Amino acid sequence: MWETFRSHLDVLWGFVVALGIVLVLTPAVGRVARVLGVVDEPLDRRRVHLAAVPRLGGVALFLGLFIPALAFLELNGPYRGILLGAALATTVGMVDDFRGLPWWGKLGGQISAAAIPVYYGVDIDRFTFPILGSHALPQWLAVGLSVLWIVAIMNMVNFLDGLDGLAAGICGIAGATFAVIALSLDRPDAAVLSAVVAGACLGFLRHNFYPARIFM
Protein backbone atom coordinates (compact mmCIF):
# COMPACT_ATOMS: atom_id res chain seq x y z
CA MET A 1 0.00 0.00 0.00
CA TRP A 2 2.72 2.49 0.97
CA GLU A 3 4.59 1.79 -2.25
CA THR A 4 1.48 2.57 -4.29
CA PHE A 5 0.92 5.74 -2.25
CA ARG A 6 4.52 6.96 -2.70
CA SER A 7 4.32 6.45 -6.45
CA HIS A 8 0.92 8.15 -6.71
CA LEU A 9 1.06 11.29 -4.58
CA ASP A 10 -1.96 12.58 -6.48
CA VAL A 11 -3.94 10.83 -3.75
CA LEU A 12 -2.53 13.26 -1.18
CA TRP A 13 -2.79 16.30 -3.43
CA GLY A 14 -6.38 15.46 -4.35
CA PHE A 15 -7.24 15.35 -0.65
CA VAL A 16 -5.50 18.69 0.05
CA VAL A 17 -7.00 20.52 -2.94
CA ALA A 18 -10.53 19.29 -2.15
CA LEU A 19 -10.09 20.31 1.49
CA GLY A 20 -8.93 23.81 0.54
CA ILE A 21 -11.66 24.39 -2.06
CA VAL A 22 -14.50 23.43 0.27
CA LEU A 23 -13.02 25.38 3.19
CA VAL A 24 -12.90 28.53 1.07
CA LEU A 25 -16.10 28.15 -0.96
CA THR A 26 -18.53 27.02 1.75
CA PRO A 27 -18.85 30.44 3.48
CA ALA A 28 -19.31 32.12 0.07
CA VAL A 29 -22.04 29.62 -0.86
CA GLY A 30 -23.69 30.27 2.50
CA ARG A 31 -23.75 34.02 1.87
CA VAL A 32 -25.27 33.52 -1.58
CA ALA A 33 -27.91 31.20 -0.08
CA ARG A 34 -28.87 33.88 2.46
CA VAL A 35 -29.17 36.52 -0.26
CA LEU A 36 -31.37 34.20 -2.32
CA GLY A 37 -33.44 33.23 0.71
CA VAL A 38 -32.50 29.55 0.52
CA VAL A 39 -32.41 28.98 4.27
CA ASP A 40 -33.75 26.41 6.70
CA GLU A 41 -36.10 28.08 9.15
CA PRO A 42 -36.62 26.57 12.65
CA LEU A 43 -40.37 26.23 12.24
CA ASP A 44 -41.09 23.04 14.18
CA ARG A 45 -39.81 20.89 17.03
CA ARG A 46 -37.77 18.67 14.74
CA ARG A 47 -35.38 21.57 14.16
CA VAL A 48 -32.72 22.00 16.83
CA HIS A 49 -31.26 25.23 15.42
CA LEU A 50 -32.66 28.51 16.71
CA ALA A 51 -31.93 30.76 13.75
CA ALA A 52 -32.22 30.42 9.97
CA VAL A 53 -29.33 28.40 8.50
CA PRO A 54 -28.41 28.57 4.79
CA ARG A 55 -28.70 25.48 2.64
CA LEU A 56 -26.87 24.73 -0.65
CA GLY A 57 -23.77 23.38 1.11
CA GLY A 58 -23.83 20.55 -1.42
CA VAL A 59 -22.77 23.02 -4.12
CA ALA A 60 -19.46 23.67 -2.35
CA LEU A 61 -19.02 19.93 -1.79
CA PHE A 62 -19.63 19.19 -5.47
CA LEU A 63 -17.10 21.80 -6.59
CA GLY A 64 -14.64 20.37 -4.08
CA LEU A 65 -15.13 17.00 -5.76
CA PHE A 66 -15.31 18.15 -9.38
CA ILE A 67 -12.28 20.45 -9.59
CA PRO A 68 -9.69 18.03 -8.10
CA ALA A 69 -11.18 15.20 -10.18
CA LEU A 70 -10.58 17.26 -13.32
CA ALA A 71 -7.03 17.94 -12.20
CA PHE A 72 -5.94 14.48 -11.05
CA LEU A 73 -8.08 11.93 -12.91
CA GLU A 74 -8.54 10.88 -16.51
CA LEU A 75 -12.26 11.36 -16.87
CA ASN A 76 -13.12 8.37 -19.00
CA GLY A 77 -15.41 5.46 -18.33
CA PRO A 78 -16.61 5.05 -14.74
CA TYR A 79 -15.10 8.29 -13.41
CA ARG A 80 -16.87 10.39 -16.01
CA GLY A 81 -20.11 8.63 -15.15
CA ILE A 82 -19.64 9.23 -11.42
CA LEU A 83 -19.07 12.96 -11.90
CA LEU A 84 -21.98 13.35 -14.33
CA GLY A 85 -24.25 11.51 -11.92
CA ALA A 86 -23.02 13.67 -9.04
CA ALA A 87 -23.71 16.81 -11.11
CA LEU A 88 -27.30 15.71 -11.75
CA ALA A 89 -27.82 14.75 -8.09
CA THR A 90 -26.50 18.18 -7.02
CA THR A 91 -28.82 19.91 -9.49
CA VAL A 92 -31.84 17.99 -8.16
CA GLY A 93 -30.84 18.94 -4.61
CA MET A 94 -30.52 22.61 -5.56
CA VAL A 95 -33.96 22.64 -7.18
CA ASP A 96 -35.38 21.01 -4.05
CA ASP A 97 -33.71 23.64 -1.84
CA PHE A 98 -35.07 26.49 -3.98
CA ARG A 99 -38.58 25.32 -4.76
CA GLY A 100 -39.24 22.08 -2.87
CA LEU A 101 -39.83 18.95 -4.94
CA PRO A 102 -42.51 16.32 -4.35
CA TRP A 103 -41.23 12.91 -3.28
CA TRP A 104 -41.72 11.45 -6.76
CA GLY A 105 -39.73 14.30 -8.31
CA LYS A 106 -36.81 13.76 -5.95
CA LEU A 107 -36.93 10.00 -6.43
CA GLY A 108 -37.03 10.37 -10.21
CA GLY A 109 -34.01 12.67 -10.10
CA GLN A 110 -32.13 10.26 -7.86
CA ILE A 111 -32.85 7.29 -10.13
CA SER A 112 -31.70 9.31 -13.16
CA ALA A 113 -28.52 10.35 -11.35
CA ALA A 114 -27.83 6.76 -10.30
CA ALA A 115 -28.42 5.44 -13.83
CA ILE A 116 -25.65 7.61 -15.29
CA PRO A 117 -22.66 5.96 -13.55
CA VAL A 118 -24.24 2.53 -14.04
CA TYR A 119 -24.45 3.28 -17.79
CA TYR A 120 -20.73 4.10 -17.71
CA GLY A 121 -19.85 0.79 -16.10
CA VAL A 122 -20.19 1.35 -12.35
CA ASP A 123 -22.12 -1.72 -11.29
CA ILE A 124 -22.30 -4.62 -8.86
CA ASP A 125 -21.34 -7.47 -11.18
CA ARG A 126 -20.81 -10.24 -8.62
CA PHE A 127 -21.33 -11.26 -5.01
CA THR A 128 -18.82 -13.13 -2.89
CA PHE A 129 -20.15 -15.38 -0.14
CA PRO A 130 -18.22 -17.19 2.60
CA ILE A 131 -17.60 -20.83 1.64
CA LEU A 132 -19.74 -20.53 -1.52
CA GLY A 133 -17.25 -18.24 -3.25
CA SER A 134 -17.82 -15.58 -5.92
CA HIS A 135 -20.86 -15.63 -8.21
CA ALA A 136 -21.40 -13.39 -11.24
CA LEU A 137 -24.77 -11.67 -11.71
CA PRO A 138 -26.75 -11.51 -14.92
CA GLN A 139 -26.48 -8.11 -16.58
CA TRP A 140 -30.10 -7.10 -15.97
CA LEU A 141 -29.81 -7.91 -12.27
CA ALA A 142 -26.45 -6.15 -11.93
CA VAL A 143 -27.90 -2.97 -13.45
CA GLY A 144 -31.05 -3.03 -11.31
CA LEU A 145 -29.21 -3.72 -8.06
CA SER A 146 -26.62 -1.04 -8.79
CA VAL A 147 -29.22 1.68 -9.39
CA LEU A 148 -31.14 0.57 -6.29
CA TRP A 149 -27.96 0.60 -4.17
CA ILE A 150 -26.88 4.09 -5.27
CA VAL A 151 -30.37 5.53 -4.65
CA ALA A 152 -30.44 3.84 -1.23
CA ILE A 153 -27.07 5.36 -0.30
CA MET A 154 -28.24 8.83 -1.42
CA ASN A 155 -31.25 8.62 0.87
CA MET A 156 -29.28 7.18 3.78
CA VAL A 157 -26.91 10.16 3.64
CA ASN A 158 -29.88 12.51 3.31
CA PHE A 159 -31.49 11.08 6.45
CA LEU A 160 -28.19 11.42 8.34
CA ASP A 161 -28.10 15.14 7.56
CA GLY A 162 -30.47 15.88 10.44
CA LEU A 163 -27.61 16.21 12.96
CA ASP A 164 -24.82 18.73 12.54
CA GLY A 165 -21.71 17.13 11.11
CA LEU A 166 -23.08 13.57 11.02
CA ALA A 167 -23.54 13.06 7.27
CA ALA A 168 -20.29 14.79 6.28
CA GLY A 169 -18.42 13.00 9.06
CA ILE A 170 -19.58 9.53 8.01
CA CYS A 171 -18.95 10.25 4.32
CA GLY A 172 -15.47 11.56 5.16
CA ILE A 173 -14.64 8.41 7.14
CA ALA A 174 -15.97 6.28 4.27
CA GLY A 175 -13.91 8.20 1.72
CA ALA A 176 -10.71 7.81 3.74
CA THR A 177 -11.40 4.10 4.28
CA PHE A 178 -12.02 3.46 0.60
CA ALA A 179 -8.84 5.37 -0.28
CA VAL A 180 -6.82 3.02 1.93
CA ILE A 181 -8.56 -0.04 0.46
CA ALA A 182 -8.00 1.19 -3.10
CA LEU A 183 -4.30 1.77 -2.40
CA SER A 184 -3.98 -1.73 -0.94
CA LEU A 185 -5.55 -3.12 -4.15
CA ASP A 186 -3.22 -1.01 -6.34
CA ARG A 187 -6.11 1.08 -7.70
CA PRO A 188 -4.63 4.62 -7.59
CA ASP A 189 -7.44 6.33 -9.54
CA ALA A 190 -10.07 4.97 -7.17
CA ALA A 191 -7.85 6.05 -4.27
CA VAL A 192 -7.63 9.60 -5.66
CA LEU A 193 -11.41 9.92 -5.99
CA SER A 194 -11.97 8.50 -2.49
CA ALA A 195 -9.36 10.84 -1.01
CA VAL A 196 -11.01 13.79 -2.76
CA VAL A 197 -14.33 12.85 -1.14
CA ALA A 198 -12.62 12.62 2.26
CA GLY A 199 -10.96 16.02 1.82
CA ALA A 200 -14.17 17.70 0.67
CA CYS A 201 -16.11 16.32 3.63
CA LEU A 202 -13.42 17.36 6.10
CA GLY A 203 -13.45 20.89 4.69
CA PHE A 204 -17.24 21.02 4.98
CA LEU A 205 -17.14 19.84 8.59
CA ARG A 206 -15.30 23.03 9.52
CA HIS A 207 -18.58 24.87 8.83
CA ASN A 208 -21.07 22.09 9.62
CA PHE A 209 -20.10 21.08 13.16
CA TYR A 210 -22.52 22.14 15.88
CA PRO A 211 -23.72 24.82 15.74
CA ALA A 212 -23.84 24.40 11.95
CA ARG A 213 -23.42 27.56 9.89
CA ILE A 214 -24.61 25.81 6.71
CA PHE A 215 -26.51 22.63 5.83
CA MET A 216 -25.61 20.11 3.19
Side-chain angles (χ1 to χ4, degrees):
M1 184 188 82
W2 290 111
E3 222 174 280
T4 306
F5 177 69
R6 283 194 294 269
S7 57
H8 296 91
L9 289 179
D10 285 355
V11 176
L12 175 62
W13 290 118
F15 174 87
V16 172
V17 171
L19 173 67
I21 288 172
V22 178
L23 273 175
V24 171
L25 286 185
T26 301
V29 170
R31 287 193 290 271
V32 171
R34 286 190 183 279
V35 170
L36 296 176
V38 187
V39 295
D40 194 283
E41 298 282 358
L43 300 177
D44 57 53
R45 295 180 185 175
R46 293 178 61 246
R47 267 63 171 181
V48 297
H49 54 286
L50 301 178
V53 177
R55 302 174 182 173
L56 297 182
V59 175
L61 279 167
F62 174 72
L63 292 174
L65 172 70
F66 187 72
I67 294 172
L70 286 179
F72 299 113
L73 289 173
E74 291 185 22
L75 296 185
N76 49 24
Y79 300 103
R80 177 181 296 179
I82 289 170
L83 288 182
L84 289 174
L88 179 55
T90 304
T91 303
V92 172
M94 287 177 60
V95 173
D96 187 41
D97 282 342
F98 272 98
R99 302 182 58 181
L101 289 173
W103 68 268
W104 50 266
K106 285 187 278 191
L107 182 60
Q110 290 172 346
I111 292 173
S112 301
I116 295 173
V118 173
Y119 174 78
Y120 278 88
V122 180
D123 59 14
I124 303 168
D125 62 349
R126 66 185 61 246
F127 276 103
T128 302
F129 299 97
I131 302 174
L132 299 177
S134 180
H135 296 271
L137 297 174
Q139 182 65 22
W140 64 270
L141 184 56
V143 168
L145 281 177
S146 301
V147 172
L148 178 64
W149 179 255
I150 294 172
V151 171
I153 293 295
M154 285 187 203
N155 284 286
M156 288 177 193
V157 174
N158 191 34
F159 292 147
L160 288 174
D161 199 30
L163 290 177
D164 296 350
L166 183 60
I170 289 178
C171 291
I173 292 170
T177 302
F178 280 120
V180 171
I181 293 172
L183 286 171
S184 69
L185 295 175
D186 197 21
R187 300 286 299 275
D189 287 346
V192 169
L193 186 59
S194 300
V196 165
V197 171
C201 290
L202 183 60
F204 189 70
L205 279 173
R206 170 69 179 79
H207 308 284
N208 188 237
F209 269 132
Y210 180 82
R213 294 183 293 280
I214 190 169
F215 289 154
M216 191 180 292

